[in-house]
Amino acid sequence: MGRPPMRHAPFAGQVVWITGASSGIGEALARAATEAGAQVVLSGRRAGELTRVAASCAGRLEPFVLPLDLTRPQDFAPAAAAVQTRFGSIDVLVNNAGVGQRALAQETLPAVERAIMEVNYFGAIGLTKAVLPILLAQRSGSIVAISSVMGYIGTPRRAAYAASKHALHGWFDSLRSEIGPQGVHVCLVCPGYVRTALSHHALTAEGTAHARLDRGQARGIAPERVATAVLHAVARRRDEIHVGGPELWAVRLKRHAPRLWHWLLRRAVRSGRI
Ligand SMILES: NC(=O)c1ccc[n+]([C@@H]2O[C@H](COP(=O)([O-])OP(=O)(O)OC[C@H]3O[C@@H](n4cnc5c(N)ncnc54)[C@H](OP(=O)(O)O)[C@@H]3O)[C@@H](O)[C@H]2O)c1
């Protein structure tokens, strides 16, 4: 027997596909979107974790678990076709999957830099290109890219990660300018620190997992706040949103007072605060 209908379901009838749905922000978004009435599609590599997240989603519609490794571009078009065949449409794609970095630029192996770009940038744009023909044919829908404050600034031990997030801005801003007139919405989401396992999964210089929850991550906002902000941004067709704690000022400071920002950053690095 199906679950009872929801009283407030702003995403009723919409198919929302979330990458990186097996933990953190993607997991919170899966629950929030299901609660908002959406038919969610959950992707990530760990099928077991996706099944756990699906079971935790309390909505009217059962989530569809679709394991997908973003380093396998040959799987993108078949995955998009599988979602369209099953539900008839795709309304929202959230490119949320990502991998962090905790290693000095000079020491990071090129293979690790490429691995970060492969998931964070090429995975997001590749899957978007696989889904785009469906959205353009519908003349509706939203594509979301989960970037970061690091899409605007660079800080120690995150060079490749920051580069991958900066790259998302160039690509998705350009895409928005190309497809906006055709009814498809593009939204960049820039969170500050969020309390997730990102630093646990982050890659070291050699490509092993950092395997630690670091200070900034532990102090971050709850992933549920990002999930709510993403759904608001999609509903209001916002081009870009920033969500997080006090660290968000860094973006403004770098834009409006870059010399002060660089001075403060150097001072913070010298004192070991970051
Ligand atoms: N936490 C923060 O402070 C923060 C701040 C700003 C932006 N963000 C961004 O938010 C997004 C979500 O991160 P999170 O904080 O929720 O961290 P997380 O808990 O580590 O989640 C990362 C997700 O990415 C998926 N993923 C990693 N490699 C993948 C691959 N090759 N193919 C498919 N999926 C892959 C993981 O799933 P599998 O392991 O199952 O594949 C996991 O579900 C990322 O883009 C991150 O850069 C996070």
Side-chain angles (χ1 to χ4, degrees):
M1 210 168 67
R3 294 184 173 109
M6 307 183 50
R7 270 178 300 160
H8 181 57
F11 281 79
Q14 298 203 28
V15 177
V16 177
W17 187 359
I18 304 161
T19 69
S22 51
S23 60
I25 294 170
E27 173 173 355
L29 187 56
R31 281 196 279 272
T34 306
E35 253 174 60
Q39 168 61 66
V40 298
V41 179
L42 309 181
S43 287
R45 290 165 303 177
R46 292 169 294 165
E49 287 303 297
L50 294 173
T51 305
R52 173 188 65 76
V53 173
S56 76
C57 289
R60 197 166 50 82
L61 303 166
E62 202 173 307
F64 176 43
V65 169
L66 180 63
L68 182 67
D69 183 342
L70 288 175
T71 65
R72 290 177 52 85
Q74 64 272 33
D75 294 344
F76 296 170
V83 177
Q84 195 193 19
T85 304
R86 193 171 175 113
F87 301 111
S89 69
I90 299 172
D91 300 289
V92 184
L93 169 66
V94 184
N95 290 295
N96 165 70
V99 55
Q101 177 187 21
R102 293 296 183 272
L104 294 174
Q106 201 185 348
E107 293 172 358
T108 304
L109 294 178
V112 174
E113 289 160 340
R114 286 178 188 279
I116 290 168
M117 287 302 281
E118 200 61 45
V119 176
N120 295 6
Y121 176 67
F122 288 110
I125 72 166
L127 190 61
T128 296
K129 285 165 79 175
V131 167
L132 207 48
I134 298 167
L135 270 56
L136 290 174
Q138 294 169 181
R139 297 190 72 80
S140 69
S142 290
I143 297 169
V144 178
I146 305 294
S147 173
S148 168
V149 162
M150 302 300 289
Y152 281 102
I153 63 170
T155 60
R157 305 196 308 140
R158 287 158 178 81
Y161 178 75
S164 72
K165 296 298 188 183
H166 276 65
L168 288 178
H169 287 252
W171 199 85
F172 281 97
D173 279 343
S174 298
L175 179 71
R176 182 189 302 109
S177 71
E178 292 171 3
I179 65 170
Q182 295 167 70
V184 179
H185 159 236
V186 175
C187 179
L188 277 156
V189 175
C190 301
Y193 283 124
V194 188
R195 226 166 31 245
T196 69
L198 188 72
S199 68
H200 264 280
H201 300 147
L203 300 182
T204 63
E206 296 80 28
T208 56
H210 179 62
R212 272 201 306 274
L213 180 70
D214 47 34
R215 216 161 30 139
Q217 213 81 75
R219 281 199 317 248
I221 61 169
E224 286 74 17
R225 266 186 62 191
V226 183
T228 305
V230 168
L231 293 182
H232 273 91
V234 170
R236 289 163 180 71
R237 292 176 80 82
R238 298 275 301 272
D239 293 334
E240 180 169 325
I241 60 162
H242 296 192
V243 50
E247 65 282 1
L248 293 183
W249 62 258
V251 174
R252 286 205 194 141
L253 197 58
K254 189 185 172 203
R255 181 179 296 157
H256 300 298
R259 285 182 63 187
L260 176 60
W261 160 248
H262 290 298
W263 179 79
L264 286 171
L265 184 58
R266 271 196 297 274
R267 207 175 66 152
V269 171
R270 263 201 307 272
S271 69
R273 273 185 287 126
I274 60 169

